[in-house]
Amino acid sequence: MSSSQQSKPSPSPLTTNEPGSFAAFSLEQRLPTILDQLIQYADTSVVHALQQLATEMQTGTISALPPAIFGTLDQALQPYIGRNWANMPFLTVELYFYARILLAFGYTAITPIDPFQTAKEAANDQAIAALASQPEYCDPTCEIDKLLHRAVIGNTADLSQHIMPTHEQVTLLIDESEVAKKLLTTGMQRIDLVFDNAGADILTDLLLIRRISPYCTHIVAHVRPYPMFISDMTLVNMKALLEKLLASSIPAARQLGQDITQLLHQNKLILRTSPALGVPANFYDNAALTQAIFGNAELVIFKGDLNYRFFAGDQRWLHTTEKNHLLQHFGRSALCLRTIKSEVLVGLTSEIVDHTRTLRSDWLTCGCYGIIQVFAQ
């Protein structure tokens, strides 16, 4: 890494105190809506804790979390104890919000309650049923670029968002699928993939894993360490999904379950819970953390908007920031498959920037635009 790269300062973090930002909108509307939905179905004892949380978000301050329940999130929060919710780094306050929801439901390391389990199971059931009408994608020989496009469309299935567009509404802003296809088929020892949402999202990931598995020795797939962001996958969710696939009456779903299970038994696919996915991490600029999680992986596939924020850091990047800046820091290739639902975005050409001026005003957060973006030498 050159001295100029080392000395270049990181951009400032996205925060909830910027008027008109998606972070401010989330604190004012999106997160309270999530609480309102939970309150409708929660038990009386839980409702009180959720209502207290809703009040704290408006008039209270950040308080300490019980140590060790959520990995090192309690340590990451220490500098912000006593601070107003409307003056917080965006990713940090989101993670804190979901940790508080879990505590309200009685979550502990011994009783890892998932208040979002019903929603995830419903999303998985609906996605599995849809496989019957998607034979071209379920074909084990489906073209990789088609699966990459489908993976971006699948990423609309994000239950933490205030609006979920249909796949007909998604337009690719960046399409580097041909470059990605060549990269995925070069022959690697290890490819990592960071999972995102339940439902159609995770199924498109599994279809992609099956398709690229012949081109690498093994694939390591990472899930969240505890339930958050409503539809994000945990290891418990993954095991339940595989059981559903194996028991499905839909041949394509059952075959996918059998193929993924075989990859697991052959150690060609490894499912891993990654604690860093539950704290406000920044992979591009934290070599030690990146090495600890991704080891000797030659390529990391970041699925979804949240994982893009983990990759690049939840920061106020100029959208024209050169991809090579992140690549050199990250130290390995990256492939980002994402529908855009936050303001973090890099690597846009001047032509694409000009094009964005013709899009709807909320193009960065509406989920109607996607990217297949490669960071590679």
Side-chain angles (χ1 to χ4, degrees):
M1 187 182 301
S2 69
S3 58
S4 62
Q5 288 169 328
Q6 289 177 322
S7 61
K8 186 175 182 179
S10 293
S12 59
L14 296 173
T15 60
T16 54
N17 62 355
E18 182 180 351
S21 68
F22 185 65
F25 166 79
S26 294
L27 183 61
E28 295 164 4
Q29 297 188 42
R30 190 169 66 90
L31 301 186
T33 298
I34 290 171
L35 280 184
D36 289 343
Q37 293 169 344
L38 287 170
I39 287 170
Q40 292 180 32
Y41 302 102
D43 294 337
T44 303
S45 58
V46 176
V47 166
H48 176 72
L50 294 176
Q51 289 174 334
Q52 181 180 350
L53 176 58
T55 301
E56 283 185 30
M57 290 171 65
Q58 302 303 318
T59 60
T61 60
I62 302 298
S63 57
L65 291 174
I69 291 182
F70 304 106
T72 58
L73 181 58
D74 62 306
Q75 299 173 29
L77 279 166
Q78 285 303 313
Y80 307 104
I81 301 300
R83 184 180 289 193
N84 190 285
W85 283 63
N87 182 26
M88 285 287 293
F90 184 28
L91 182 56
T92 302
V93 83
E94 280 193 297
L95 293 169
Y96 175 71
F97 170 77
Y98 284 103
R100 288 290 305 275
I101 287 176
L102 293 183
L103 290 175
F105 276 86
Y107 181 97
T108 68
I110 299 174
T111 57
I113 296 168
D114 185 351
F116 313 120
Q117 181 177 346
T118 300
K120 283 185 276 194
E121 287 183 352
N124 287 340
D125 289 342
Q126 184 177 10
I128 289 171
L131 288 181
S133 61
Q134 300 169 352
E136 68 274 27
Y137 299 109
C138 297
D139 186 337
T141 64
C142 179
E143 289 294 330
I144 290 176
D145 53 349
K146 286 186 66 174
L147 289 176
L148 293 172
H149 284 81
R150 193 66 187 175
V152 173
I153 291 172
N155 192 233
T156 59
D158 185 341
L159 299 177
S160 73
Q161 295 300 311
H162 59 298
I163 297 173
M164 282 198 296
T166 63
H167 64 85
E168 294 89 354
Q169 296 172 298
V170 177
T171 301
L172 283 181
L173 195 62
I174 300 172
D175 183 1
E176 298 176 345
S177 53
E178 285 300 317
V179 177
K181 179 179 179 180
K182 291 177 182 177
L183 182 63
L184 289 166
T185 56
T186 54
M188 301 182 188
Q189 289 294 309
R190 172 175 167 179
I191 295 175
D192 282 30
L193 191 153
V194 187
F195 285 136
D196 198 14
N197 302 297
D201 201 22
I202 186 65
L203 289 189
T204 59
D205 294 340
L206 295 180
L207 289 169
L208 181 62
I209 284 173
R210 178 175 67 179
R211 184 65 180 86
I212 66 175
S213 60
Y215 299 102
C216 62
T217 303
H218 63 274
I219 298 169
V220 179
H222 303 259
V223 294
R224 306 283 170 209
Y226 52 88
M228 62 177 82
F229 292 86
I230 304 182
S231 54
D232 281 36
M233 296 294 288
T234 66
L235 195 59
V236 171
N237 301 148
M238 284 301 306
K239 291 178 178 178
L241 173 59
L242 287 175
E243 290 175 0
K244 282 191 174 185
L245 287 170
L246 288 169
S248 176
S249 60
I250 301 169
R254 192 167 59 252
Q255 186 63 57
L256 178 61
Q258 292 170 353
D259 292 342
I260 294 298
T261 300
Q262 184 177 25
L263 290 175
L264 288 168
H265 288 163
Q266 294 172 340
N267 212 35
K268 287 183 65 66
L269 172 62
I270 299 167
L271 297 178
R272 181 173 296 174
T273 297
S274 295
L277 296 174
V279 297
N282 177 340
F283 295 135
Y284 108 92
D285 203 24
N286 190 329
L289 181 63
T290 297
Q291 181 63 29
I293 296 174
F294 302 120
N296 62 348
E298 295 135 281
L299 169 67
V300 180
I301 303 172
F302 289 100
K303 182 64 178 296
D305 190 85
L306 177 60
N307 291 325
Y308 194 97
R309 294 164 66 191
F310 272 91
F311 166 52
D314 202 40
Q315 301 174 117
R316 205 175 308 282
W317 288 103
L318 290 175
H319 296 157
T320 53
T321 300
E322 293 183 2
K323 290 191 295 181
N324 194 54
H325 174 67
L326 274 74
L327 175 63
Q328 294 302 320
H329 282 72
F330 190 56
R332 68 208 73 216
S333 297
L335 167 61
C336 298
L337 308 173
R338 166 197 185 197
T339 52
I340 306 171
K341 306 162 195 165
S342 72
E343 294 157 330
V344 182
L345 184 61
V346 301
L348 298 192
T349 64
S350 57
E351 290 80 11
I352 295 177
V353 170
D354 289 341
H355 177 58
T356 62
R357 297 190 179 102
T358 69
L359 307 179
R360 49 189 286 179
S361 59
D362 62 348
W363 66 273
L364 278 169
T365 57
C366 65
C368 293
Y369 302 96
I371 60 171
I372 298 173
Q373 189 176 37
V374 177
F375 295 76
Q377 297 285 10

